[in-house]
PDB file of all heavy atoms in Angstrom:
ATOM      1  N   PHE A  15      72.649  80.126 115.421  1.00  0.00           N
ATOM      2  CA  PHE A  15      72.426  81.452 114.831  1.00  0.00           C
ATOM      3  C   PHE A  15      70.969  81.541 114.395  1.00  0.00           C
ATOM      4  O   PHE A  15      70.466  80.620 113.739  1.00  0.00           O
ATOM      5  CB  PHE A  15      73.302  81.665 113.595  1.00  0.00           C
ATOM      6  CG  PHE A  15      74.756  81.856 113.896  1.00  0.00           C
ATOM      7  CD1 PHE A  15      75.692  80.860 113.599  1.00  0.00           C
ATOM      8  CD2 PHE A  15      75.206  83.043 114.463  1.00  0.00           C
ATOM      9  CE1 PHE A  15      77.041  81.051 113.870  1.00  0.00           C
ATOM     10  CE2 PHE A  15      76.559  83.234 114.731  1.00  0.00           C
ATOM     11  CZ  PHE A  15      77.476  82.235 114.436  1.00  0.00           C
ATOM     12  N   LEU A  17      68.482  82.729 111.835  1.00  0.00           N
ATOM     13  CA  LEU A  17      68.641  83.090 110.428  1.00  0.00           C
ATOM     14  C   LEU A  17      67.608  84.136 110.024  1.00  0.00           C
ATOM     15  O   LEU A  17      66.464  84.085 110.469  1.00  0.00           O
ATOM     16  CB  LEU A  17      68.500  81.852 109.544  1.00  0.00           C
ATOM     17  CG  LEU A  17      69.580  80.782 109.766  1.00  0.00           C
ATOM     18  CD1 LEU A  17      69.284  79.557 108.918  1.00  0.00           C
ATOM     19  CD2 LEU A  17      70.965  81.338 109.458  1.00  0.00           C
ATOM     20  N   LEU A  23      70.445  77.961 112.733  1.00  0.00           N
ATOM     21  CA  LEU A  23      71.561  77.183 112.223  1.00  0.00           C
ATOM     22  C   LEU A  23      72.417  76.752 113.416  1.00  0.00           C
ATOM     23  O   LEU A  23      72.884  77.584 114.181  1.00  0.00           O
ATOM     24  CB  LEU A  23      72.358  78.052 111.236  1.00  0.00           C
ATOM     25  CG  LEU A  23      73.492  77.374 110.474  1.00  0.00           C
ATOM     26  CD1 LEU A  23      73.628  78.011 109.099  1.00  0.00           C
ATOM     27  CD2 LEU A  23      74.801  77.470 111.223  1.00  0.00           C
ATOM     28  N   ALA A  25      75.496  75.896 114.556  1.00  0.00           N
ATOM     29  CA  ALA A  25      76.868  76.001 114.038  1.00  0.00           C
ATOM     30  C   ALA A  25      77.879  75.221 114.869  1.00  0.00           C
ATOM     31  O   ALA A  25      78.848  74.688 114.341  1.00  0.00           O
ATOM     32  CB  ALA A  25      77.284  77.469 113.949  1.00  0.00           C
ATOM     33  N   GLU A  44      86.943  71.624 107.390  1.00  0.00           N
ATOM     34  CA  GLU A  44      86.547  72.329 106.174  1.00  0.00           C
ATOM     35  C   GLU A  44      85.859  73.658 106.470  1.00  0.00           C
ATOM     36  O   GLU A  44      85.338  73.861 107.564  1.00  0.00           O
ATOM     37  CB  GLU A  44      85.548  71.468 105.390  1.00  0.00           C
ATOM     38  CG  GLU A  44      86.186  70.459 104.499  1.00  0.00           C
ATOM     39  CD  GLU A  44      85.183  69.405 104.080  1.00  0.00           C
ATOM     40  OE1 GLU A  44      84.992  68.440 104.831  1.00  0.00           O
ATOM     41  OE2 GLU A  44      84.593  69.540 103.010  1.00  0.00           O
ATOM     42  N   SER A  45      85.804  74.484 105.450  1.00  0.00           N
ATOM     43  CA  SER A  45      85.110  75.755 105.560  1.00  0.00           C
ATOM     44  C   SER A  45      83.679  75.543 106.054  1.00  0.00           C
ATOM     45  O   SER A  45      82.984  74.641 105.592  1.00  0.00           O
ATOM     46  CB  SER A  45      85.093  76.408 104.175  1.00  0.00           C
ATOM     47  OG  SER A  45      84.503  77.658 104.260  1.00  0.00           O
ATOM     48  N   GLY A  46      83.274  76.353 107.022  1.00  0.00           N
ATOM     49  CA  GLY A  46      81.899  76.277 107.510  1.00  0.00           C
ATOM     50  C   GLY A  46      81.663  75.257 108.615  1.00  0.00           C
ATOM     51  O   GLY A  46      80.538  75.091 109.074  1.00  0.00           O
ATOM     52  N   CYS A  47      82.725  74.573 109.068  1.00  0.00           N
ATOM     53  CA  CYS A  47      82.504  73.522 110.068  1.00  0.00           C
ATOM     54  C   CYS A  47      82.362  74.089 111.475  1.00  0.00           C
ATOM     55  O   CYS A  47      82.057  73.348 112.409  1.00  0.00           O
ATOM     56  CB  CYS A  47      83.621  72.491 110.019  1.00  0.00           C
ATOM     57  SG  CYS A  47      85.203  73.098 110.622  1.00  0.00           S
ATOM     58  N   GLY A  48      82.612  75.393 111.658  1.00  0.00           N
ATOM     59  CA  GLY A  48      82.369  76.002 112.963  1.00  0.00           C
ATOM     60  C   GLY A  48      83.611  76.390 113.740  1.00  0.00           C
ATOM     61  O   GLY A  48      83.527  76.695 114.934  1.00  0.00           O
ATOM     62  N   LYS A  49      84.754  76.458 113.086  1.00  0.00           N
ATOM     63  CA  LYS A  49      86.002  76.791 113.781  1.00  0.00           C
ATOM     64  C   LYS A  49      85.963  78.211 114.334  1.00  0.00           C
ATOM     65  O   LYS A  49      86.220  78.454 115.519  1.00  0.00           O
ATOM     66  CB  LYS A  49      87.212  76.648 112.828  1.00  0.00           C
ATOM     67  CG  LYS A  49      87.320  75.298 112.169  1.00  0.00           C
ATOM     68  CD  LYS A  49      88.517  75.183 111.241  1.00  0.00           C
ATOM     69  CE  LYS A  49      88.501  76.082 110.022  1.00  0.00           C
ATOM     70  NZ  LYS A  49      87.484  75.750 109.021  1.00  0.00           N
ATOM     71  N   THR A  50      85.641  79.171 113.456  1.00  0.00           N
ATOM     72  CA  THR A  50      85.611  80.570 113.893  1.00  0.00           C
ATOM     73  C   THR A  50      84.530  80.794 114.940  1.00  0.00           C
ATOM     74  O   THR A  50      84.743  81.501 115.930  1.00  0.00           O
ATOM     75  CB  THR A  50      85.389  81.501 112.680  1.00  0.00           C
ATOM     76  OG1 THR A  50      86.494  81.339 111.783  1.00  0.00           O
ATOM     77  CG2 THR A  50      85.288  82.961 113.103  1.00  0.00           C
ATOM     78  N   THR A  51      83.377  80.163 114.735  1.00  0.00           N
ATOM     79  CA  THR A  51      82.286  80.329 115.695  1.00  0.00           C
ATOM     80  C   THR A  51      82.708  79.819 117.075  1.00  0.00           C
ATOM     81  O   THR A  51      82.417  80.454 118.098  1.00  0.00           O
ATOM     82  CB  THR A  51      81.026  79.595 115.200  1.00  0.00           C
ATOM     83  OG1 THR A  51      80.741  80.026 113.872  1.00  0.00           O
ATOM     84  CG2 THR A  51      79.828  79.899 116.082  1.00  0.00           C
ATOM     85  N   PRO A  61      77.986  87.520 117.525  1.00  0.00           N
ATOM     86  CA  PRO A  61      77.009  88.577 117.227  1.00  0.00           C
ATOM     87  C   PRO A  61      75.710  88.328 118.001  1.00  0.00           C
ATOM     88  O   PRO A  61      75.462  87.218 118.470  1.00  0.00           O
ATOM     89  CB  PRO A  61      76.787  88.438 115.722  1.00  0.00           C
ATOM     90  CG  PRO A  61      77.157  87.038 115.395  1.00  0.00           C
ATOM     91  CD  PRO A  61      78.241  86.660 116.358  1.00  0.00           C
ATOM     92  N   GLN A  98      90.371  86.055 111.973  1.00  0.00           N
ATOM     93  CA  GLN A  98      90.546  85.679 110.576  1.00  0.00           C
ATOM     94  C   GLN A  98      90.505  86.958 109.740  1.00  0.00           C
ATOM     95  O   GLN A  98      89.586  87.758 109.880  1.00  0.00           O
ATOM     96  CB  GLN A  98      89.388  84.736 110.194  1.00  0.00           C
ATOM     97  CG  GLN A  98      89.493  84.106 108.837  1.00  0.00           C
ATOM     98  CD  GLN A  98      88.479  82.952 108.651  1.00  0.00           C
ATOM     99  OE1 GLN A  98      87.646  82.687 109.507  1.00  0.00           O
ATOM    100  NE2 GLN A  98      88.578  82.281 107.521  1.00  0.00           N
ATOM    101  N   GLU A 179      93.201  81.272 111.170  1.00  0.00           N
ATOM    102  CA  GLU A 179      93.764  81.294 109.808  1.00  0.00           C
ATOM    103  C   GLU A 179      94.840  82.379 109.658  1.00  0.00           C
ATOM    104  O   GLU A 179      94.727  83.237 108.782  1.00  0.00           O
ATOM    105  CB  GLU A 179      92.658  81.528 108.764  1.00  0.00           C
ATOM    106  CG  GLU A 179      91.538  80.502 108.766  1.00  0.00           C
ATOM    107  CD  GLU A 179      91.867  79.207 108.027  1.00  0.00           C
ATOM    108  OE1 GLU A 179      93.033  79.021 107.596  1.00  0.00           O
ATOM    109  OE2 GLU A 179      90.970  78.362 107.913  1.00  0.00           O
ATOM    110  N   LEU A 277      73.577  72.803 108.234  1.00  0.00           N
ATOM    111  CA  LEU A 277      73.499  72.883 109.690  1.00  0.00           C
ATOM    112  C   LEU A 277      72.197  73.520 110.158  1.00  0.00           C
ATOM    113  O   LEU A 277      71.994  73.722 111.345  1.00  0.00           O
ATOM    114  CB  LEU A 277      74.698  73.665 110.229  1.00  0.00           C
ATOM    115  CG  LEU A 277      76.064  73.042 109.894  1.00  0.00           C
ATOM    116  CD1 LEU A 277      77.202  73.938 110.358  1.00  0.00           C
ATOM    117  CD2 LEU A 277      76.186  71.664 110.524  1.00  0.00           C
TER     118      LEU A 277
HETATM  119  N1  LIG C   1      76.475  85.426 111.849  1.00  0.00           N
HETATM  120  C1  LIG C   1      76.067  84.275 111.342  1.00  0.00           C
HETATM  121  N2  LIG C   1      74.754  84.058 111.048  1.00  0.00           N
HETATM  122  C2  LIG C   1      74.334  82.879 110.549  1.00  0.00           C
HETATM  123  N3  LIG C   1      75.143  81.845 110.279  1.00  0.00           N
HETATM  124  C3  LIG C   1      76.452  81.988 110.529  1.00  0.00           C
HETATM  125  C4  LIG C   1      76.990  83.205 111.073  1.00  0.00           C
HETATM  126  N4  LIG C   1      78.321  83.052 111.211  1.00  0.00           N
HETATM  127  C5  LIG C   1      78.613  81.810 110.784  1.00  0.00           C
HETATM  128  N5  LIG C   1      77.491  81.163 110.384  1.00  0.00           N
HETATM  129  C6  LIG C   1      77.403  79.787 109.896  1.00  0.00           C
HETATM  130  O1  LIG C   1      77.908  78.937 110.899  1.00  0.00           O
HETATM  131  C7  LIG C   1      78.642  77.858 110.341  1.00  0.00           C
HETATM  132  C8  LIG C   1      80.054  77.865 110.906  1.00  0.00           C
HETATM  133  O2  LIG C   1      80.751  79.004 110.424  1.00  0.00           O
HETATM  134  P1  LIG C   1      82.242  79.379 110.841  1.00  0.00           P
HETATM  135  O3  LIG C   1      82.538  80.739 110.320  1.00  0.00           O
HETATM  136  O4  LIG C   1      82.416  79.146 112.279  1.00  0.00           O
HETATM  137  O5  LIG C   1      83.069  78.292 110.028  1.00  0.00           O
HETATM  138  P2  LIG C   1      84.655  78.134 109.871  1.00  0.00           P
HETATM  139  O6  LIG C   1      84.945  76.725 110.204  1.00  0.00           O
HETATM  140  O7  LIG C   1      85.375  79.196 110.595  1.00  0.00           O
HETATM  141  O8  LIG C   1      84.812  78.309 108.291  1.00  0.00           O
HETATM  142  P3  LIG C   1      86.017  78.995 107.410  1.00  0.00           P
HETATM  143  O9  LIG C   1      87.059  77.924 107.289  1.00  0.00           O
HETATM  144  O10 LIG C   1      85.326  79.231 106.094  1.00  0.00           O
HETATM  145  O11 LIG C   1      86.470  80.224 108.106  1.00  0.00           O
HETATM  146  C9  LIG C   1      78.567  78.055 108.840  1.00  0.00           C
HETATM  147  O12 LIG C   1      77.529  77.258 108.328  1.00  0.00           O
HETATM  148  C10 LIG C   1      78.251  79.522 108.680  1.00  0.00           C
HETATM  149  O13 LIG C   1      77.568  79.758 107.481  1.00  0.00           O
END
Side-chain angles (χ1 to χ4, degrees):
Chain A
F15 288 108
L17 296 176
L23 186 148
E44 275 164 275
S45 183
C47 70
K49 305 180 295 291
T50 298
T51 307
Q98 187 167 5
E179 302 279 7
L277 300 175

